[in-house]
Amino acid sequence: MLLRQEVLLIFQDGDAMKFLENAPRFLFLTGKGGVGKTSIACAAALQLAEAGKRVLLVSTDPASNVGQVFGITIGNRISVIPSVPNLSALEIDPQAAAQAYRDRLVKPVRGLLPDDVVDGIEESLSGACTTEIAAFDEFTALLNDSVLTVDFDHIVFDTAPTGHTIRLLQLPGAWSGFLESGKGDASCLGPLAGLDKQREQYQSAVDALSDSSRTRLVLVARAQEATLREAARTHEELAAIGLNQQYLVINGILPSGEADADPLAAAIHAREQAALEHIPVVLKNLPTDRVTLKSFNMVGLEALRHLFNDAQPHGDLRVESSMELNEPGLAELVDEIAREGHGLVMLMGKGGVGKTTLAAAIAVELANRRLPVHLTTSDPAAHLAETLSGTLQHLTVSRIDPHAETERYRQDVLETKGAHLDAEGRALLEEDLRSPCTEEIAVFQAFSRIIREAGRKFVVMDTAPTGHTLLLLDATGAYHREMTRQMGSTTLHYTTPMMQLQDKKQTRVLIVTLAETTPVLEAANLQADLRRAGIEPWAWVINSSVAAASARSPLLLQRAANELQAIRAVADRHAQRYAVVPLRKEEPVGVKRLLEMVSGSSLEEMKS
């Protein structure tokens, strides 16, 4: 083990980032999509390297743009950053990791076991649960002082392992025998079966994550109520499994000076300050850094060097005049949706892009046209009732409660499969049913019940963030394949949930994103995943666009200009149809403001 001297990093403005003071060897950055994790991680790695430390920057994000930030191709290997002495980077490819993991489990038994058994093993390893575990498998080597990392003083991870993954690795070690005896149910036991031989390595990794002298978790958020609530939930979830060394970075805070002559900027500033004043109690005592919103894109060394201070990089040009953006709005998409009279409308995307608000706006507009609508969510963090802040004729609202659905599913399994097990088998079954994958299956069953209503009314669904949604789709696909095998050549008519999702006449999937590089890349990756499942997204919605609002602040005008490239990428390369929704002065809460969000009627108010 290399000896490492602790340093206090002092930046150009004389202030230190608390999360980098006496930094331990491992730094993990986590947070909702669009909060700036990659920018913070890259800037932190750069600062450490320029302070003389040997640094490895690791991205576990499938839509990683670390290479783009530094202007080089990185990929699934450790690559030296030529322009920065002491800095290297690695982008873990979750899909490649999952394939390698599957191969390791399946190849030894292929040819030894019957084909249908091997097919069943491959089926159990086809989901996003396997992908998540396999990605964890990749970077546990980095946490165990392997030959790959022995020469580095610090390893900075962009995207931390989730509480979900770590809980999976803390399940008992008797999975393989449990499966072979036929006692297991359909949850995470298939993907987990290959972990038994690596229990020691995984335990060592979990120990490293829990050791505050070696690891620091950095929660990244925005000065917004929703992202701060999400950070609070993440804090509590990780603390509950022993990961207590946590810091908070609140990114992208609008400087007060920008609000002087711009009503839009003034409203945003007031909203952010209110969110900061009412920050969740569990976050108040965390060491906290605040990073101001920048006018420039986080690409290149000069931009990264200025992220943690208020100076402008050389060559930064501000746009001094107002902008006019003529792009299709949300009303045009709703008009086309309404023509069918019924159907399933699913909004998908990363956390923090505004799916809940947009789902509520679409549902309210359809109900306002006297069309029957069921608005629901599979997102455990969603607050539909708060967003609606009222009722409307023709609109019903529900929430798939993961805890309630999971408990219902557990009881059903225990009363059926568990009824004839011995004490040991029942204990293992109960342990398995406490795993996070159980929740995904239970939510899938509730999801399946609700989407059947779309044959006679509109069902507008606000989905969970992308990773959870893909797990839901995996469950949907597995059910479809099992039903197809069971039905065989029967002449009976049947429709699985996956068939309904793949039916363009029944289902419209709207991908929600922001007009920024990383969210657009992540949305494009989600679209590719959906297409592999045979689901073609119907439209994209670019939410909270500064370019579509009437900004006057110099900083906001520059950010509006920066958005144009992302909007063009969506329009020209990714979307069959799209809409751009402007950033608003007021939070779109309540029926009136949600209707205005669709009609755009408040744009004149924004110009006043």
Side-chain angles (χ1 to χ4, degrees):
M1 169 72 72
L2 292 176
L3 294 177
R4 176 173 50 81
Q5 180 184 2
E6 303 290 359
V7 295
L8 173 64
L9 293 179
I10 305 297
F11 301 130
Q12 295 175 16
D13 62 356
D15 293 329
M17 291 287 106
K18 293 184 180 69
F19 82 93
L20 287 174
E21 292 179 7
N22 298 322
R25 189 161 191 246
F26 303 116
L27 286 168
F28 283 88
L29 288 92
T30 186
K32 293 185 75 169
V35 296
K37 293 188 301 293
T38 297
S39 298
I40 299 289
C42 290
L46 177 63
Q47 294 284 2
L48 288 165
E50 291 187 337
K53 296 298 175 181
R54 289 163 295 183
V55 182
L56 175 62
L57 174 62
V58 180
S59 175
T60 61
D61 190 332
S64 174
N65 65 327
V66 169
Q68 182 183 27
V69 170
F70 288 104
I72 66 169
T73 300
I74 296 174
N76 196 29
R77 68 193 185 286
I78 294 178
S79 302
V80 173
I81 306 295
S83 53
V84 185
N86 302 319
L87 181 59
S88 299
L90 165 68
E91 293 176 332
I92 292 176
D93 182 345
Q95 297 302 325
Q99 187 56 52
Y101 187 80
R102 283 190 288 269
D103 290 343
R104 193 172 78 233
L105 291 183
V106 175
K107 282 184 178 179
V109 299
R110 195 180 295 280
L112 298 177
L113 296 177
D115 289 345
D116 60 336
V117 174
V118 175
D119 290 344
I121 294 172
E122 289 184 319
E123 177 63 37
S124 74
L125 297 171
S126 65
C129 201
T130 298
T131 303
E132 188 173 17
I133 294 169
F136 189 85
D137 188 39
E138 287 276 305
F139 68 72
T140 48
L142 305 177
L143 290 168
N144 282 287
D145 300 318
S146 72
V147 292
L148 290 173
T149 60
V150 69
D151 292 331
F152 294 103
D153 299 309
H154 297 286
I155 304 177
V156 179
F157 290 87
D158 170 23
T159 301
T162 65
H164 176 124
T165 307
I166 296 168
R167 286 198 304 277
L168 293 178
L169 300 171
Q170 293 175 326
L171 290 175
W175 301 305
S176 296
F178 192 41
L179 282 172
E180 289 166 4
S181 65
K183 297 175 181 177
D185 198 64
S187 82
C188 292
L189 291 177
L192 286 167
L195 300 184
D196 202 31
K197 295 178 181 178
Q198 296 171 267
R199 292 290 297 177
E200 187 174 340
Q201 175 179 323
Y202 283 113
Q203 186 58 53
S204 176
V206 173
D207 290 344
L209 288 167
S210 304
D211 184 350
S212 61
S213 68
R214 289 188 283 170
T215 299
R216 182 172 296 168
L217 286 157
V218 183
L219 308 172
V220 184
R222 295 271 190 177
Q224 302 164 349
E225 289 185 5
T227 58
L228 288 169
R229 283 196 302 264
E230 179 68 17
R233 279 188 291 272
T234 302
H235 163 73
E236 292 180 315
E237 181 180 48
L238 294 175
I241 52 179
L243 280 66
N244 295 302
Q245 181 74 342
Q246 298 183 27
Y247 283 62
L248 176 65
V249 175
I250 303 176
N251 188 32
I253 300 173
L254 186 70
S256 58
E258 297 291 326
D260 292 344
D262 184 346
L264 176 61
I268 294 169
H269 180 260
R271 201 158 66 213
E272 288 183 345
Q273 293 305 307
L276 294 173
E277 185 177 344
H278 297 95
I279 191 169
V281 174
V282 295
L283 300 180
K284 284 185 176 180
N285 293 326
L286 295 183
T288 301
D289 294 302
R290 296 186 179 188
V291 179
T292 58
L293 185 68
K294 301 299 185 291
S295 63
F296 46 88
N297 285 324
M298 279 299 134
V299 176
L301 299 183
E302 280 300 298
L304 293 174
R305 289 188 181 109
H306 288 82
L307 177 58
F308 296 146
N309 61 53
D310 294 329
Q312 292 290 328
H314 297 300
D316 179 57
L317 299 177
R318 289 179 179 264
V319 179
E320 299 294 349
S321 59
S322 61
M323 300 181 63
E324 293 293 334
L325 190 70
N326 184 23
E327 297 289 344
L330 196 56
E332 296 170 56
L333 295 185
V334 176
D335 286 343
E336 196 168 346
I337 291 170
R339 291 190 195 112
E340 295 297 324
H342 64 87
L344 175 63
V345 181
M346 293 186 71
L347 287 90
M348 296 186 182
K350 294 289 282 187
V353 296
K355 297 186 301 296
T356 300
T357 301
L358 286 167
I362 291 170
V364 163
E365 176 61 28
L366 291 171
N368 193 51
R369 301 183 186 193
R370 300 181 182 278
L371 296 166
V373 184
H374 180 176
L375 172 62
T376 188
T377 181
S378 63
D379 185 351
H383 297 276
L384 278 179
E386 294 175 15
T387 301
L388 282 168
S389 188
T391 59
L392 187 65
Q393 193 177 5
H394 307 294
L395 176 65
T396 58
V397 181
S398 72
R399 173 175 173 265
I400 298 174
D401 184 337
H403 297 295
E405 296 298 337
T406 301
E407 185 56 33
R408 182 181 301 144
Y409 175 77
R410 283 190 184 121
Q411 291 304 316
D412 181 61
V413 173
L414 288 171
E415 290 171 7
T416 54
K417 287 194 176 259
H420 306 294
L421 294 179
D422 57 23
E424 180 186 3
R426 187 175 176 88
L428 281 168
L429 178 59
E430 288 177 344
E431 181 67 33
D432 173 44
L433 289 171
R434 286 194 289 272
S435 78
C437 289
T438 302
E439 180 179 301
E440 306 298 343
I441 298 166
V443 169
F444 160 70
Q445 292 187 345
F447 165 78
S448 300
R449 289 194 301 269
I450 288 175
I451 67 174
R452 285 197 290 268
E453 297 179 20
R456 60 182 186 278
K457 63 170 67 172
F458 279 109
V459 175
V460 180
M461 176 170 282
D462 163 38
T463 65
T466 304
H468 291 279
T469 301
L470 293 178
L471 283 170
L472 182 64
L473 290 176
D474 284 333
T476 307
Y479 175 82
H480 169 73
R481 290 187 290 273
E482 180 62 26
M483 280 291 296
T484 302
R485 281 196 296 269
Q486 289 182 12
M487 299 303 289
S489 58
T490 179
T491 57
L492 294 175
H493 175 75
Y494 66 97
T495 301
T496 67
M498 180 59 80
M499 292 166 67
Q500 184 166 345
L501 294 179
Q502 293 170 338
D503 185 346
K504 296 178 182 178
K505 294 181 179 179
Q506 284 285 323
T507 302
R508 287 182 169 85
V509 172
L510 278 62
I511 292 180
V512 183
T513 187
L514 302 174
E516 299 172 15
T517 303
T518 299
V520 170
L521 283 172
E522 291 169 338
N525 187 70
L526 169 60
Q527 177 161 270
D529 285 333
L530 291 169
R531 284 173 171 167
R532 280 193 288 272
I535 301 169
E536 183 60 36
W538 182 73
W540 283 45
V541 180
I542 301 170
N543 194 29
S544 299
S545 168
V546 180
S550 296
R552 301 175 189 171
S553 150
L555 188 152
L556 292 184
L557 283 171
Q558 180 62 58
R559 289 188 64 84
N562 295 341
E563 284 187 355
L564 297 181
Q565 184 177 358
I567 293 172
R568 290 269 62 81
V570 172
D572 298 338
R573 296 202 301 272
H574 299 308
Q576 297 182 36
R577 58 178 66 76
Y578 70 100
V580 180
V581 179
L583 179 66
R584 313 189 74 76
K585 283 175 62 177
E586 306 294 339
E587 287 278 11
V589 174
V591 171
K592 181 176 181 293
R593 287 181 184 169
L594 290 169
L595 289 171
E596 290 174 347
M597 197 173 181
V598 177
S599 67
S601 60
S602 61
L603 285 175
E604 289 304 315
E605 174 195 342
M606 295 178 69
K607 294 177 182 178
S608 63

